[in-house]
Amino acid sequence: MSNQPGGDAAQLDLAHDAAAEEAARKAASKEAADTVLKAFGGVRGMIDMTLPGLVFIVTYNLTHQVSTSAWAALGLSGLLVVARLAKRETIQHAFSGVFGVALGAWISMKSGKAEDFYLPGLLWNVGYCIALAASALARWPMIGVMLGPITGEMFTWRKENPGRLAAYTRATWAWVVIMGLKPLILFPLYFTHNVNLLGWLKVALGIPPLLLAMYVTWQILLKAPPPIKAQLDDEEEEPAK
């Protein structure tokens, strides 16, 4: 009987350690899941990608001029890049937006068809979904490739953390399904030459599917094992004292 209090204390310590370990695991998983929004440019990045298309369709409705609408969208994209540079923010998402807008503007002005402004974006969506599916099939899921450097795990999830490989694979397939809905809806409209409906739907389908895909990814990673931090060479080899 004299050993029982000590045994109870040991069991309490074990239970406390297990609870602390589980809390730490959940915190690490949440921290890793929270990188999803950052990886895709945050709210600002989504706005940067959506506004030029909105400006194009509004200007086209006001002027009915393809070139004027294209230049208005391209000018806004350029201003967004300048604004980011002035604030010393990353221009990755704004610059990619400029490239897409410039390509769409050039094609639409060459063809004289307003709907061609949206063609590069539609083709990019198709190519993006194909690349996502191919990466998942090759066991190099693109979501993991994108988030690994941000979480600090790099590619440890491929060999050392099978639970995260499975989570990244599920998340990548979720992106295929969600983002694949956009071209399925918009491509038929492109061929009807209904510029107004195409333009407004393109804007409407800009942010919501992206938010849904990020939320689903966040939920998947929230339940995944925490990342295993990658050991860099300079960390593995400490200088001799």
Side-chain angles (χ1 to χ4, degrees):
M1 295 291 293
S2 59
N3 291 334
Q4 188 174 351
D8 290 344
Q11 288 181 352
L12 286 173
D13 288 342
L14 287 173
H16 182 269
D17 290 345
E21 184 178 343
E22 179 63 16
R25 188 196 72 80
K26 288 182 177 179
S29 293
K30 184 180 185 303
E31 181 183 358
D34 288 345
T35 62
V36 174
L37 186 62
K38 179 181 177 182
F40 292 93
V43 175
R44 177 72 182 277
M46 288 184 280
I47 292 174
D48 286 356
M49 291 186 291
T50 303
L51 278 181
L54 177 61
V55 167
F56 178 88
I57 194 62
V58 169
T59 306
Y60 184 75
N61 273 281
L62 292 173
T63 66
H64 301 287
Q65 297 290 324
V66 174
S67 59
T68 303
S69 306
W71 280 114
L74 186 56
L76 176 62
S77 295
L79 286 176
L80 292 173
V81 171
V82 171
R84 281 185 175 270
L85 285 173
K87 295 181 179 180
R88 296 183 178 180
E89 298 174 348
T90 177
I91 64 170
Q92 174 188 350
H93 298 280
F95 184 77
S96 62
V98 168
F99 179 77
V101 170
L103 184 58
W106 180 78
I107 293 174
S108 62
M109 284 190 287
K110 282 289 185 182
S111 69
K113 298 177 180 178
E115 64 267 24
D116 283 348
F117 176 79
Y118 300 103
L119 183 58
L122 291 173
L123 293 174
W124 183 88
N125 280 331
V126 173
Y128 184 54
C129 289
I130 292 173
L132 284 166
S135 72
L137 291 172
R139 296 181 63 79
W140 275 95
M142 193 180 296
I143 300 303
V145 173
M146 294 175 67
L147 295 185
I150 300 175
T151 61
E153 62 188 313
M154 299 305 289
F155 305 119
T156 58
W157 48 266
R158 286 207 75 240
K159 301 293 185 182
E160 303 173 41
N161 203 339
R164 283 192 75 79
L165 171 59
Y168 281 140
T169 301
R170 288 196 302 273
T172 300
W173 281 117
W175 277 78
V176 173
V177 173
I178 295 170
M179 302 309 289
L181 292 175
K182 292 173 65 176
L184 284 177
I185 294 171
L186 296 175
F187 249 123
L189 284 176
Y190 169 81
F191 290 110
T192 66
H193 310 294
N194 189 336
V195 180
N196 264 322
L197 187 55
L198 175 62
W200 288 114
L201 268 179
K202 180 72 164 58
V203 172
L205 292 174
I207 293 179
L210 194 58
L211 287 176
L212 177 60
M214 288 192 292
Y215 176 74
V216 171
T217 301
W218 184 78
Q219 284 289 332
I220 290 172
L221 296 183
L222 203 59
K223 300 169 186 175
I228 298 174
K229 300 294 183 180
Q231 292 292 325
L232 302 178
D233 292 340
D234 55 352
E235 293 177 353
E236 293 175 350
E237 298 177 5
E238 294 184 1
K241 296 181 181 180

